[in-house]
Amino acid sequence: MKHSTVPLPDNLAAIANHRQPPGKLWSRRLTILNSFFSFAIFLGWDWLTGRLQRNQQLRAKKLVQKLIQLGPTFIKLGQVLSCRPDLIPPIYVDELTHLQDQLPPFSNDQAYKVIEEELGCPYDQIYAELNPEPVAAASLGQVYKGKLKTGEIVAVKVQRPGIINILVLDIYLLQQLSTWVQKNVSFIHTNIRALTDELANSIFKEMDYVQEGLNAQKFAQLYGNLPQIYVPRIYSAYTTSRVLTMEWVNGVKITSTDAILAQGLDPADLIALEFKFALQQLLKGGFFHADPHPGNVLVTPEGKLAYLDFGMMSEVVPETRDLLIIFFLHLVTGDFPALAQDLILLEFLPPGTDVVPLIPKLTKMFGNIRETSIAELGFKQMFEQLLSLIYEYSWQIPKFYVLVFRCFATIEGIALKFNPDFQAYKFGYPYIAQWVLTNRSPVLWDALNNFCLNKKTIQWELVSDLLNGISQSDDFNLSLTLDRMLEFLYSSQGNSLRNVLVNEVVSNLENVSKESFDEIMMWTRVINTPFASMTRINEIWHKIQQFIGKFLLVVPLNFVSISEFSKLFFRTEAQRLGQEIVNQLGRRIFMRFIQI
């Protein structure tokens, strides 16, 4: 990959020190101020006449129109704001999500000139064909379908000529405006200058096609081997900061219902796949596509999801991933004091925040999750519940979470159009449950122990949900899961759970009649015999179902087969667990005997 002949600004300081002719500066400044001022007048009139709420939808649509009129920088500003429900009301967020990143195409001659400047020779010496009609034209560039001299069909993205100068000028003026507003408008507490800097960083990263190519290659390395995911190849030799050459992907938008049905595919299944894949990117790969709108996710003829446009990506460190999962576990268990502390650890609230007043509000919002079935909890519902607190406490959502919100809100919004009953929890919980158990994270295993135990009592209903979730995961591996369960119980994090589990098993067995108790003791001896026959193990399996029904009720019927159950007893930790139960049973029998 090559670097551009037109360098991007190295940092925000370069923009702040930007110099333009005064006439050009004032002309653009007046255009921007006129648009904002006229919009502010309408808002002020709505406020004076008591129609602020009633006209919100109308004003939101008007804002979208003004941003489009102001051009590429402000279209991108609207897209950034569409991910910031902590800054603007929900109605504005909804309207801004529909903001189309489209402008009239620029001429082919201009595009050919950019290609020649970047690749060092006329376009027809590189591309055997280049369709004269662009297939897409956006604010920053446009895309052509072409063919390399070697025969590969490609998509060629060319940056809009002169766009860098336009963006630098607009951001320079926005920085000036935001700094003035920050100092002089007392009722605005949000760091507007930081938002402007975030906009600048976001735009310039998206404009660097070399970085986009590297993002695509990293995405392919992490996920390209998944059977239902397709990542197009990047042709690095024909990619620079202003020209990107990528493999052409035949497919239809994930929202093209009729075309998808014609391929014999179910749109709802594909949306569910996209949601689960987003979770996999967030929790496992740690590198995720933050802009999976319908134009960026195609369905191939083979039924795979093909991802395009890798300009907006983000990474998650393992510590943050674990904190997000722990937040979810605390929400499910109703541990609201811990949930409030999680908001500090996740940096939604600054360190030292008094969260005591927050606990009753969280309890009121989410306290009935268990009674109303947590299967009804979705990403959108959860965020809507938290939205009022965001405004009340003036939370500053870190950029990483903004991108996570953008990713999952986009997917869930698409899903709800296909299936109004779509629930994020239903599709996400199995994957999260398996990840918590099998990832061997001490932090997550400590949280898992607290999830399963409450005041030294096992939460069997929650355990049942967890095991059901694990068994429903697409990549469920029974052998690995059993290994991790036993490993967890004998880890320092799972010791207390194992002790309570052994005690509950023994207590239940002790309450059985003496005749049944003696028979169970006979079974335990058979279990510990290395050459126990399969017939005898089958008998044991059915007897255990009768006498320890409480424990089997929490295990899904498809979770452990009889053959796997028999293999379980040959594992070292399983034998240790069985020995612990036998030893404690023996001590209790002995104590009962000497008391007779």
Side-chain angles (χ1 to χ4, degrees):
M1 296 185 191
K2 304 175 183 178
H3 292 289
S4 173
T5 56
V6 181
L8 297 175
D10 290 332
N11 49 48
L12 296 174
I15 298 174
N17 296 324
H18 180 67
R19 293 292 178 266
Q20 288 276 3
K24 189 174 183 179
L25 279 173
W26 274 107
S27 176
R28 184 59 175 164
R29 183 181 285 122
L30 289 174
T31 300
I32 295 170
L33 289 175
N34 179 61
S35 292
F36 285 172
F37 186 67
S38 62
F39 182 73
I41 288 176
F42 282 112
L43 283 181
W45 181 251
D46 288 343
W47 179 72
L48 288 172
T49 57
R51 294 182 293 183
L52 195 61
Q53 292 295 324
R54 188 173 66 184
N55 286 348
Q56 227 179 28
Q57 189 85 44
L58 175 65
R59 300 302 171 219
K61 291 180 181 295
K62 181 64 69 174
L63 176 62
V64 169
Q65 293 173 5
K66 287 190 173 293
L67 292 174
I68 293 174
Q69 292 168 2
L70 286 171
T73 310
F74 292 87
I75 291 173
K76 292 299 177 185
L77 174 62
Q79 292 173 345
V80 170
L81 289 174
S82 72
C83 304
R84 298 304 300 258
D86 55 325
L87 300 182
I88 58 175
I91 291 178
Y92 283 83
V93 171
D94 290 342
E95 284 299 324
L96 288 171
T97 56
H98 302 139
L99 183 62
Q100 294 298 308
D101 186 10
Q102 293 182 342
L103 288 178
F106 51 89
S107 71
N108 289 337
D109 288 341
Q110 289 177 297
Y112 300 155
K113 183 179 179 181
V114 171
I115 293 173
E116 183 171 354
E117 289 175 350
E118 293 297 303
L119 300 181
C121 58
Y123 79 94
D124 54 5
Q125 292 184 20
I126 297 171
Y127 306 105
E129 297 176 13
L130 200 62
N131 195 316
E133 293 295 326
V135 295
S139 58
L140 301 183
Q142 60 193 35
V143 180
Y144 294 88
K145 183 177 182 180
K147 180 191 288 187
L148 293 175
K149 295 285 187 180
T150 48
E152 297 95 333
I153 306 298
V154 293
V156 182
K157 182 156 69 169
V158 183
Q159 194 176 98
R160 189 173 289 271
I163 189 65
I164 293 176
N165 292 330
I166 295 172
L167 293 170
V168 168
L169 173 61
D170 283 347
I171 292 171
Y172 172 72
L173 293 174
L174 281 174
Q175 285 179 331
Q176 285 188 330
L177 178 62
S178 61
T179 300
W180 184 88
V181 170
Q182 201 78 59
K183 291 180 178 178
N184 296 281
V185 182
S186 58
F187 63 84
I188 293 182
H189 304 292
T190 301
N191 190 337
I192 301 178
R193 176 54 190 265
L195 180 64
T196 307
D197 292 346
E198 176 189 323
L199 170 67
N201 283 322
S202 174
I203 289 177
F204 288 123
K205 284 181 181 178
E206 191 173 345
M207 288 176 62
D208 187 353
Y209 292 167
V210 169
Q211 185 58 53
E212 180 176 345
L214 294 173
N215 289 342
Q217 290 173 345
K218 182 174 180 179
F219 199 80
Q221 289 171 358
L222 289 170
Y223 314 115
N225 62 337
L226 297 178
Q228 294 177 290
I229 303 300
Y230 191 82
V231 184
R233 174 187 172 187
I234 300 295
Y235 292 90
S236 302
Y238 311 116
T239 294
T240 72
S241 294
R242 295 200 296 160
V243 175
L244 174 69
T245 304
M246 180 176 70
E247 176 187 357
W248 180 267
V249 177
N250 289 314
V252 298
K253 289 183 179 181
I254 196 168
T255 50
S256 301
T257 309
D258 292 340
I260 291 173
L261 290 172
Q263 293 177 218
L265 303 171
D266 186 343
D269 289 343
L270 293 169
I271 293 295
L273 170 63
E274 184 183 16
F275 188 87
K276 285 182 280 190
F277 178 51
L279 275 175
Q280 183 171 358
Q281 295 171 57
L282 181 68
L283 301 181
K284 189 174 182 180
F287 184 67
F288 69 95
H289 196 300
D291 193 22
H293 67 72
N296 286 342
V297 183
L298 303 182
V299 180
T300 70
E302 299 78 25
K304 295 184 177 183
L305 296 185
Y307 282 72
L308 311 175
D309 196 339
F310 300 91
M312 190 176 296
M313 310 293 291
S314 188
E315 296 190 70
V316 52
V317 297
E319 294 79 8
T320 301
R321 173 203 63 202
D322 290 349
L323 287 173
L324 286 170
I325 294 174
I326 290 170
F327 177 88
F328 179 79
L329 293 178
H330 287 157
L331 186 66
V332 171
T333 56
D335 189 349
F336 298 110
L339 195 70
Q341 290 296 328
D342 290 340
L343 294 173
I344 294 178
L345 295 174
L346 289 168
E347 299 180 358
F348 281 79
L349 295 171
T353 300
D354 180 14
V355 296
V356 173
L358 187 60
I359 295 172
K361 296 177 182 180
L362 291 172
T363 305
K364 183 178 180 180
M365 287 180 174
F366 303 113
N368 64 342
I369 283 178
R370 296 303 304 169
E371 290 74 11
T372 57
S373 169
I374 54 177
E376 296 178 4
L377 177 66
F379 178 84
K380 185 173 183 293
Q381 295 94 319
M382 185 193 308
F383 198 84
E384 287 177 349
Q385 292 278 38
L386 288 172
L387 201 57
S388 60
L389 294 180
I390 289 175
Y391 290 126
E392 182 177 346
Y393 282 81
S394 299
W395 292 358
Q396 296 292 323
I397 302 181
K399 184 181 178 181
F400 165 75
Y401 302 112
V402 170
L403 293 175
V404 172
F405 167 76
R406 180 190 182 96
C407 174
F408 285 95
T410 299
I411 296 172
E412 194 169 58
I414 297 171
L416 290 171
K417 292 178 182 178
F418 288 107
N419 178 15
D421 298 323
F422 175 85
Q423 295 294 341
Y425 170 84
K426 177 182 178 182
F427 293 97
Y429 187 59
Y431 192 88
I432 292 174
Q434 176 151 335
W435 182 258
V436 169
L437 181 62
T438 61
N439 192 45
R440 277 179 166 162
S441 165
V443 174
L444 289 182
W445 276 4
D446 188 57
L448 178 60
N449 185 73
N450 295 331
F451 177 86
C452 296
L453 281 180
N454 181 26
K455 297 178 181 179
K456 296 185 178 182
T457 300
I458 297 177
Q459 305 285 78
W460 288 110
E461 184 181 358
L462 293 177
V463 173
S464 177
D465 283 344
L466 184 76
L467 294 177
N468 271 294
I470 292 172
S471 67
Q472 292 169 17
S473 176
D474 287 343
D475 56 353
F476 172 59
N477 183 316
L478 178 59
S479 180
L480 174 64
T481 302
L482 291 174
D483 279 339
R484 292 293 183 270
M485 286 176 63
L486 291 167
E487 186 178 344
F488 163 64
L489 289 174
Y490 278 93
S491 68
S492 58
Q493 294 81 24
N495 274 335
S496 56
L497 175 62
R498 188 186 75 255
N499 291 334
V500 174
L501 175 64
V502 169
N503 185 65
E504 285 205 26
V505 170
V506 171
S507 296
N508 277 270
L509 292 175
E510 193 177 21
N511 291 332
V512 179
S513 66
K514 186 176 185 305
E515 179 182 350
S516 298
F517 189 87
D518 292 340
E519 191 173 357
I520 290 171
M521 289 301 297
M522 177 186 68
W523 299 335
T524 60
R525 288 194 296 272
V526 173
I527 289 172
N528 283 279
T529 300
F531 303 105
S533 68
M534 183 58 69
T535 302
R536 191 56 177 151
I537 289 176
N538 284 337
E539 294 176 8
I540 294 169
W541 175 259
H542 293 299
K543 289 293 185 180
I544 289 177
Q545 283 184 316
Q546 296 173 24
F547 287 100
I548 319 178
K550 172 182 178 181
F551 304 105
L552 291 174
L553 284 175
V554 305
V555 181
L557 293 178
N558 62 338
F559 187 76
V560 183
S561 65
I562 295 176
S563 62
E564 286 290 343
F565 182 80
S566 65
K567 295 176 185 177
L568 184 65
F569 287 100
F570 294 100
R571 300 171 193 256
T572 303
E573 289 86 354
Q575 292 177 358
R576 290 175 62 189
L577 185 63
Q579 194 61 50
E580 282 190 54
I581 294 173
V582 170
N583 289 343
Q584 192 170 139
L585 274 171
R587 284 195 296 271
R588 295 197 185 189
I589 292 171
F590 178 74
M591 292 302 297
R592 179 189 295 181
F593 177 77
I594 64 175
Q595 290 175 1
I596 295 177

